[in-house]
Amino acid sequence: ESDPANAHWSLDLAQAQTAVGRLLLQLSRAGDARPVLSEAVETLERLVAGEPEWARARVSLVESLCVRGRADRAEGDLVEARQAWDRAVTVSRGVADDQPTVLSLLSAQVNARLLLGETDGVQADLDQLREAGALTAENRDLAAEAGLSVE
């Protein structure tokens, strides 16, 4: 049952929307993914604004922004893509020092930076993720596209 006033329910919904957007993007349906992802980002922005220290919401926002930026890029909207990725990097800074959260956030930040074409300092972050066993398939794919090593 829906409960938009419940922050945890809203977070779960936004995460589901991000997953749907990611799937639509994989199916080459970026035009269909963009509104779904925009709704997820709006919800997550509201949640983070209301509770800035809620790390799970911040990680979800960074991930949603990265996926939305990829959908924007697929639709040829490079300005919107860059804005989404820039926002993802900004949101990823300054989260509580909780190791699993920090690693999730670092992983999402690495993706955003690689999507922006930034490689300075990313190799050290990739190495940290690899050593912690937190390197994701998306980290690996984006690193390979950028010519960085993950082994």
Side-chain angles (χ1 to χ4, degrees), residues 34 50 57 111 143:
R34 288 174 81 181
N111 290 346

Side-chain angles (χ1 to χ4, degrees), residues 58-59 61-62 65 85-96 101-102 104-110 112-113:
R58 287 173 69 110
V59 169
L61 176 56
V62 171
L65 285 163
W85 297 330
D86 282 338
R87 177 72 179 131
V89 170
T90 300
V91 171
S92 69
R93 295 192 173 116
V95 76
T101 300
V102 169
S104 294
L105 208 46
L106 180 61
S107 174
Q109 183 186 67
V110 162
R113 291 171 59 203

Side-chain angles (χ1 to χ4, degrees), residues 109-128:
Q109 183 186 67
V110 162
N111 290 346
R113 291 171 59 203
L114 289 171
L115 287 163
L116 282 166
E118 297 175 7
T119 56
D120 291 342
V122 173
Q123 185 64 58
D125 292 339
L126 287 167
D127 293 343
Q128 180 181 351

